[in-house]
Amino acid sequence: MASYSTNEFRGGLKIMLDGDPYLIVENEFVKPGKGQAFNRVKVRNLKTARVVEKTFKSGESVEAADVHDTQMQYLYNDGELWHFMDQDTFEQITADAAAVGDAAKWIKEQDVCNVTLWNGSPLSVEPPNFVVLSITETDPGVRGDTSGGGGKPATLETGAVVRVPLFVQTGELIKVDTRSGAYVSRAKEE
Amino acid sequence: MSYTVWEPTASLETLRARAGLFSRARAFLEAAGVMEVETPIAGRAPTPDPALESLSTTWMGCGRAALPLYLHTSPELAMKRLLAAGSGPIYQICKVFRDRERGRLHHPEFTLLEWYRPGWGYRQLMDEVAELVRSILRRPALRMEVLTYRELFDRGLALDPWQADPEDLRHCALAQGIAGAEDMQLERDGWLDLLLTHSLEAGLGNGRLTFVCDYPTSQAALARVREGPFPVAERFELYLGGMELANGFQELTDPEEQRRRFRRDLERRRCAGATPPPADEAFLAALDAGLPEASGVALGIDRLLMVLTGARHIDEVLAFPVERA
């Protein structure tokens, strides 16, 4: 089993604690000049996203978490699970609602997502930074308004609701930044 | 590591502050009649201190087999040989090296100002340390307080470090919310260090110079022990702004006691699975010849410069940290 010594601790390292995979967010080395050294870390539980503190005696080893990111194509949702495929190996995996989380609001078939795998199972799914989606419902805009000031809510084909300028109409395609959930522009069919 | 980044991490203003700090320290000590000296950075014996780890190199000598040389973790032992030779008061500003130390306040090579006062007691030296720091920081009104290690733990944690056993200390660490204490394996001094670094240090030296003195004898290092109902090591540490800046001793001069401590240190290293290093016989011979009663102190220049410039991370006061070296 791979492991890391506290000497190797740094932000971004993935370790196992109490059976769960964690990401080191911050690592602080503390040591009295004439005494015992400690690593005081902030870690994020990759399953629950909770951030906790933990102190290690320096020099100890901690089991490495087999966690890595991979690009996978979203295939379909079977009503319960989301199916993804590795485009190089054609290997398919399924992710549950807990792993997909907010990404469910943004992704549609064939989008390529960043999937974080732990021991081969998906821990989390990140949608592409920008997605193009069609508007299924929005109030008709006020005639003559082209400035985009104010805006109105629009429901997208995936169910997400974003604020769009008044001139954008039902049936149109728009580009959305999934990190902020903000409307970027109108889009053309790809 | 970004080997291609050529720029210094310290600003030019900070580098100028460093130069100013050096000249003020030298001016202060010269005016005080302390002589500047130099001793070897690379020596034959590594530090025996179990809390420190020496970096090493190899000397491909002339006409002899390759000899391992160890970079000093402080110039202490060599400077004491000069004291034994009758040097009188001496100081040194030098780079020292400590392996396995890297963080916001740690860098594997750093600058120490170390000085010795033959005939002085450690309380008297604390006053001089405070004077020098005030002069370097240009804060003549900076107050000074002296607190014993025992008072520190009593006030901060209602604990007596001389009486509490490791389980009491673990309970205290858990009560302090130190996550990880539940399954940590530590000796008594390790627990005291955990509490010191996690629960006490941040409050020390808040707008004043706080000297903590009279440590448990198990943390005596090279300090003399004062016997009594609760024997104490005549050692002090200076804190400012929650940061440890200096460590000083009423120096141990008894060669037999020194040999016992070295043996104990080497034994602890053996137990930890490390190869016991050779003892510094030249230093022990100097103690046999007679080290004058003295007190000495080592002050971390980089951290003092952090205080002077308001830096949060040691990298802000170094031209090139090890990742860019």
Side-chain angles (χ1 to χ4, degrees):
Chain A
M1 193 69 76
S3 65
Y4 296 116
S5 153
T6 56
N7 294 327
E8 300 172 83
F9 278 13
R10 60 175 193 281
L13 206 68
K14 288 135 185 165
I15 57 172
M16 292 298 297
L17 291 176
D18 307 321
D20 275 356
Y22 281 82
L23 176 85
I24 296 183
V25 180
E26 223 179 275
N27 170 46
E28 196 189 359
F29 177 80
V30 290
K31 178 181 186 300
K34 301 275 170 197
Q36 175 69 50
F38 300 97
N39 286 72
R40 194 173 183 178
V41 298
K42 279 204 179 91
V43 286
R44 186 167 73 232
N45 185 318
L46 290 171
K47 282 161 77 178
T48 65
R50 254 190 77 211
V51 175
V52 292
E53 265 206 22
K54 180 149 172 124
T55 295
F56 295 89
K57 186 170 131 180
S58 295
E60 281 188 343
S61 285
V62 184
E63 194 189 324
D66 177 16
V67 171
H68 66 275
D69 291 347
T70 178
Q71 297 289 311
M72 297 188 106
Q73 188 176 46
Y74 169 48
L75 298 176
Y76 62 96
N77 177 295
D78 63 15
E80 186 190 355
L81 297 170
W82 284 255
H83 294 246
F84 292 86
M85 182 181 71
D86 184 313
Q87 288 174 289
D88 295 325
T89 64
F90 305 109
E91 190 189 335
Q92 293 191 17
I93 57 145
T94 55
D96 61 16
V100 175
D102 270 358
K105 276 186 1 191
W106 305 116
I107 58 177
K108 61 176 189 182
E109 285 82 357
Q110 281 158 45
D111 278 347
V112 175
C113 303
N114 183 53
V115 179
T116 302
L117 298 171
W118 171 43
N119 295 333
S121 307
L123 267 180
S124 62
V125 174
E126 258 177 71
N129 289 343
F130 298 100
V131 289
V132 172
L133 295 167
S134 70
I135 297 176
T136 53
E137 197 192 337
T138 188
D139 286 339
V142 178
R143 187 186 300 271
D145 181 276
T146 53
S147 69
K152 60 182 179 178
T155 305
L156 307 180
E157 57 183 308
T158 53
V161 177
V162 297
R163 276 200 92 69
V164 298
L166 299 176
F167 58 79
V168 178
Q169 304 302 336
T170 301
E172 284 192 279
L173 290 171
I174 61 164
K175 184 174 174 184
V176 182
D177 186 333
T178 59
R179 292 160 295 185
S180 58
Y183 164 89
V184 178
S185 63
R186 281 201 277 201
K188 290 199 173 72
E189 198 76 59
E190 279 165 3
Chain B
M1 294 198 195
S2 14
Y3 289 109
T4 52
V5 181
W6 65 269
E7 298 95 336
T9 46
S11 68
L12 294 178
E13 196 187 344
T14 299
L15 296 179
R16 278 190 287 271
R18 178 180 284 271
L21 190 161
F22 282 142
S23 51
R24 291 207 285 283
R26 287 199 161 96
F28 180 97
L29 289 162
E30 194 188 336
V34 185
M35 174 174 72
E36 181 163 13
V37 297
E38 260 191 351
T39 56
I41 281 174
R44 289 178 202 206
T47 180
D49 188 334
L52 301 178
E53 211 48 62
S54 298
L55 281 164
S56 63
T57 185
T58 306
W59 178 36
M60 303 303 286
C62 299
R64 61 189 305 163
L67 188 71
L69 289 180
Y70 301 89
L71 307 189
H72 64 178
T73 55
S74 95
E76 179 161 9
L77 304 190
M79 288 182 80
K80 285 180 180 171
R81 284 164 66 187
L82 294 179
L83 293 174
S87 66
I90 47 175
Y91 80 93
Q92 177 160 200
I93 296 177
C94 59
K95 280 288 185 76
V96 298
F97 302 83
R98 296 180 183 181
D99 201 6
R100 297 181 196 174
E101 300 192 4
R102 182 68 176 120
R104 190 174 71 82
L105 300 177
H106 293 83
H107 188 262
E109 71 175 275
F110 62 101
T111 305
L112 274 186
L113 162 56
E114 183 150 330
W115 78 100
Y116 290 87
R117 283 291 198 173
W120 281 32
Y122 70 127
R123 296 264 174 173
Q124 196 181 354
L125 184 59
M126 280 187 236
D127 290 333
E128 187 171 55
V129 171
E131 263 319 300
L132 178 132
V133 171
R134 286 183 193 117
S135 143
I136 285 177
L137 296 179
R138 298 191 195 279
R139 287 165 70 181
L142 196 56
R143 278 192 306 128
M144 160 182 179
E145 70 173 349
V146 181
L147 173 84
T148 66
Y149 190 86
R150 195 188 182 110
E151 285 166 344
L152 170 66
F153 275 76
D154 180 50
R155 287 184 202 172
L157 300 167
L159 253 177
D160 180 349
W162 272 255
Q163 306 277 14
D165 63 34
E167 270 318 295
D168 298 334
L169 297 169
R170 183 197 299 274
H171 286 308
C172 179
L174 287 171
Q176 288 290 310
I178 303 173
E182 55 283 358
D183 47 13
M184 209 180 285
Q185 294 304 312
L186 290 171
E187 291 175 23
R188 179 194 170 75
D189 285 317
W191 284 113
L192 293 171
D193 286 338
L194 181 72
L195 290 165
L196 179 72
T197 51
H198 285 62
S199 298
L200 296 169
E201 267 187 358
L204 291 175
N206 186 7
R208 70 191 91 162
L209 295 166
T210 300
F211 287 87
V212 178
C213 68
D214 296 353
Y215 281 67
T217 55
S218 50
Q219 297 179 28
L222 302 185
R224 195 172 71 183
V225 166
R226 186 171 72 236
E227 296 300 340
F230 295 101
V232 296
E234 292 182 327
R235 179 186 148 196
F236 65 87
E237 295 261 359
L238 165 62
Y239 288 88
L240 180 58
M243 184 160 58
E244 179 192 332
L245 284 185
N247 174 73
F249 300 140
Q250 185 68 48
E251 302 295 346
L252 175 65
T253 55
D254 175 356
E256 287 323 305
E257 172 61 14
Q258 183 65 70
R259 282 194 171 85
R260 273 194 294 278
R261 290 199 199 167
F262 273 175
R263 275 197 297 272
R264 194 182 61 200
D265 285 349
L266 297 185
E267 194 47 44
R268 286 192 60 184
R269 282 181 173 270
R270 221 189 316 266
C271 290
T275 323
D280 191 333
E281 293 298 338
F283 166 66
L284 291 169
L287 287 193
D288 287 334
L291 176 65
E293 290 303 324
S295 58
V297 63
L299 175 72
I301 289 296
D302 310 281
R303 290 188 184 174
L304 189 57
L305 186 57
M306 286 176 70
V307 175
L308 187 64
T309 59
R312 280 288 301 157
H313 197 291
I314 194 166
D315 289 8
E316 293 169 46
V317 300
L318 300 173
F320 302 111
V322 64
E323 290 82 4
R324 293 191 186 191

